[in-house]
Amino acid sequence: MTAISQTRPPRLDWPAILRDAGLAALVAFLLTVPLVGFRTVDRPTGLGIELHINEVVAAIALVFLGRVGLSMIRSGVALPVLVLSLVVAVAGFFINLPTETLRVVMIGGGLVIAIRALITVMTHRSKLTQAERDRRMDRIGAKVQHASRYLAPVGILFAAAFPMLPIADRHLIDIGILLLTYVMLGWGLNIVVGLAGLLDLGYVAFYAVGAYSYALLAQYFGMSFWLCLPLAGVLAALSGVLLGFPVLRLRGDYFAIVTLGFGEIIRIILVNWYQFTGGPNGITNIPRPSFFGIADFSRTGANGLPPFHSLFGLEFSSLHRIIFLYYLILILALVVNVFTLRIRKLPLGRAWEALREDDIACTSLGIDRTKIKLAAFAIAAMFGGFAGSFFATRQGFISPESFTFIESAIILAIVVLGGMGSQMGVVVATLLVIGLPEAFRELADFRMLTFGMGMVLIMLWRPRGLLAHRDPTIVLYKNGAGAAAGEKGA
Amino acid sequence: MSALLSVQGVHTFYGSIEALKGVDVTINEGEIVTLIGANGAGKSTLLMTICGKPQAREGRIVFAGEDITRLATHDLVRRGIAQSPEGRRIFPRMTVMENLQMGAIAVDDSHFDQDLEEVFTLFPRLKERITQRAGTMSGGEQQMLAIGRALMSRPRLLLLDEPSLGLAPLVVKQIFQAITAINRTKKMTVFMVEQNAFHALKLAHRAYVMVNGRITMTGSGAELLANEEVRSAYLEGGH
């Protein structure tokens, strides 16, 4: 095919192209009418429906043009399409469109087609085969993984310096905290799902246990955050073991369903145990963390602690607490990361990975599956518990609303989309899954639609996750076995 | 020679189906013993029963003087029984080296370097592929790795389930030569379940024939190889 399209002058079969584009436009019509065309609006007389014909027409036109562009690329006319699609993408920035969504579709669509055209211009082929694409993406994944040796310190430095940068305002730091919370949860769940290969659909349960542990201990016993943080971790780990015992004899789908059930059980207990947990009203006025028990972040100080700003001779700013929380979650997340990187090299971590690969072989090698599964569960739960108590102290208010299944699903999506077991992948996926919806907040109603579309695209192009590339835990040098054996002994 | 492993009157059930109907097998120290039989005769079931999954409903399994009938599978490795399960079951995404390390994970690793050297002497191919992902190797190399991995736990008894499964004849020969070498140089006791009766009988000191969950015949490898019944049932037509 390549040879032919190189030698043959491009010839366009216009009727076929137009028929194809018309069909695509018809599909677009059927989809956009219910999704975009009708919108409910609040009227004084009740709910009304508004028609948005112009948006539908614009969307269909874009799809039609895009499809024609794709067909032209396929017939070998790539250069004009490349120029045109770039023009469209640029135009998307400047033209006044009826909605923000159309702008994103226009820019995004234009860029996708431009990339396709670029590939054709460069390789004289309309399309890479699945295998080629996989190989290419794998190579990129491997490169990123190798580069992560340099990227990771840079990323950490950036994260550490971020609150000091002039661009960092309260809003951005808040988003940073949110992102880091999900990175931490992703890294925590990665231990169970990525390393041990156990599909846990109820991770949010441990997050909830951690959050409520702190909130309740603070409410009933007036315990401080720094005392409760380890306790919340221990309690979450215990709940992990508690869940682990009945569940770990199950496998695959059954396992996933039971963990899903456990997540719901915790939430329903929280809702219904009204006297103890406050039920659906949640718990309010959860104490904020002090500065390691030395100072308080309020203007006048509290609980007998001096105010933070006067202790350090600073001007009072409500931002201090936010920045402190930011660093707190950054450190917590890094602890999880360092732990995971270390344990992968130890027998326990190695056993988890082996378990994911083949659990029957594991038993035949003398590994007690139940024990190491329980360990994975308890450790991941503990990190979930840490994250939970951080969440509680940051929000100052928690209710069962925050711990619904969708949270588990999002954390799982982060792990799976990032590439199971990849630490860097979790960060990239968090930026996409949590960061993009934040960035696209203006899209309002269509935020979740873009989110879904992003997930579908990743699953189509990268079925094993963005950075699905596993590096060996041992690196062999020229003298071969010697170095490896040395590491084994170490 | 003393009995290292003895299986005494073992009955094993899958639900209500009796897969083993009173099996007696003795394996002496330093022997290669093979178990042959048709598909579904219960060969693999016997091996799995020795490993404790499924557990025998009746009868006893004694290893080195200790009753192991009710032990969990993962407890056997530390007692000196290594298993190379059917279908190789190497860890495909791990490297050869990591696979071999997994073999020693449950035991004291002070002999690790020495054991590794021995495995590489036995299978030089593995040393060449040390950093390769195990799943990308050929079937024969994977089988070598599976055996090598089992040896890393310094077993007294090596259990092999169908080591020749799905391999080319030339590779099968190599594998069986390696098994003989393991037995000769390391004085390792080997119990092997095989469909490839001809090769298995040639290298085994003693052999058992299993039909429908019962042992129907036993003798030295050479005896069974010469036996008319065995020849017509398992050797002719196909091999």
Side-chain angles (χ1 to χ4, degrees), chain B:
Chain B
M1 285 207 283
S2 62
L4 183 62
L5 180 83
S6 77
V7 176
Q8 302 161 3
V10 160
H11 293 255
T12 301
F13 289 76
Y14 289 118
S16 60
I17 296 162
E18 190 174 15
L20 298 182
K21 303 164 182 167
V23 172
D24 294 282
V25 165
T26 307
I27 295 152
N28 297 317
E29 192 106 51
E31 274 186 323
I32 299 181
V33 177
T34 186
L35 177 66
I36 60 171
N39 258 336
K43 303 187 303 283
S44 285
T45 305
L46 175 58
L47 214 55
M48 285 156 72
T49 307
I50 293 172
C51 296
K53 202 160 197 180
Q55 285 189 351
R57 195 176 287 183
E58 275 174 58
R60 257 158 50 95
I61 300 165
V62 179
F63 175 74
E66 185 189 6
D67 188 338
I68 60 163
T69 323
R70 303 265 169 263
L71 282 185
T73 313
H74 59 256
D75 284 327
L76 296 177
V77 176
R78 242 161 269 126
R79 286 176 168 72
I81 301 180
Q83 312 145 38
S84 171
E86 185 173 351
R88 305 191 275 268
R89 294 199 171 269
I90 47 132
F91 303 115
R93 293 219 288 161
M94 292 189 173
T95 62
V96 168
M97 186 66 195
E98 286 172 319
N99 267 278
L100 291 173
Q101 287 190 342
M102 287 303 302
I105 196 162
V107 296
D108 167 31
D109 61 8
S110 52
H111 312 292
F112 184 82
D113 295 351
Q114 194 194 337
D115 293 346
L116 192 66
E117 237 5 89
E118 281 181 21
V119 168
F120 286 151
T121 323
L122 199 61
F123 302 113
R125 193 80 67 82
L126 293 183
K127 189 164 187 172
E128 293 163 23
R129 312 250 148 162
I130 189 160
T131 55
Q132 194 173 330
R133 269 163 227 277
T136 61
M137 299 198 301
S138 73
E141 288 161 346
Q142 290 187 17
Q143 184 60 56
M144 292 174 193
L145 180 59
I147 296 175
R149 186 180 63 181
L151 290 175
M152 290 303 290
S153 67
R154 295 213 142 199
R156 290 177 70 189
L157 171 65
L158 178 62
L159 301 178
L160 299 173
D161 198 349
E162 303 267 10
S164 76
L165 193 72
L167 300 182
L170 202 67
V171 184
V172 172
K173 212 169 159 187
Q174 284 177 0
I175 296 285
F176 282 134
Q177 274 167 359
I179 294 169
T180 315
I182 294 166
N183 173 257
R184 288 228 179 96
T185 58
K186 302 181 81 163
K187 300 273 168 279
M188 180 90 61
T189 314
V190 180
F191 183 46
M192 180 171 69
V193 163
E194 242 322 317
Q195 286 227 354
N196 196 332
F198 179 67
H199 277 289
L201 290 176
K202 266 210 311 201
L203 74 94
H205 299 115
R206 288 190 308 114
Y208 291 88
V209 179
M210 185 175 258
V211 178
N212 273 332
R214 287 198 177 85
I215 300 290
T216 55
M217 225 182 288
T218 176
S220 75
E223 274 168 24
L224 289 185
L225 209 50
N227 182 295
E228 209 36 59
E229 223 173 302
V230 173
R231 289 193 80 88
S232 64
Y234 305 110
L235 299 179
E236 268 136 38
H239 294 289

Side-chain angles (χ1 to χ4, degrees), chain A residues 57-99:
Chain A
V57 171
I60 293 173
L62 281 176
V63 168
F64 184 82
L65 287 177
R67 190 73 206 174
V68 169
L70 277 182
S71 302
M72 282 169 71
I73 294 172
R74 211 162 285 166
S75 323
V77 190
L79 211 53
V81 178
L82 175 62
V83 175
L84 274 176
S85 55
L86 280 178
V87 167
V88 169
V90 172
F93 275 107
F94 298 109
I95 295 179
N96 222 351
L97 285 163
T99 61

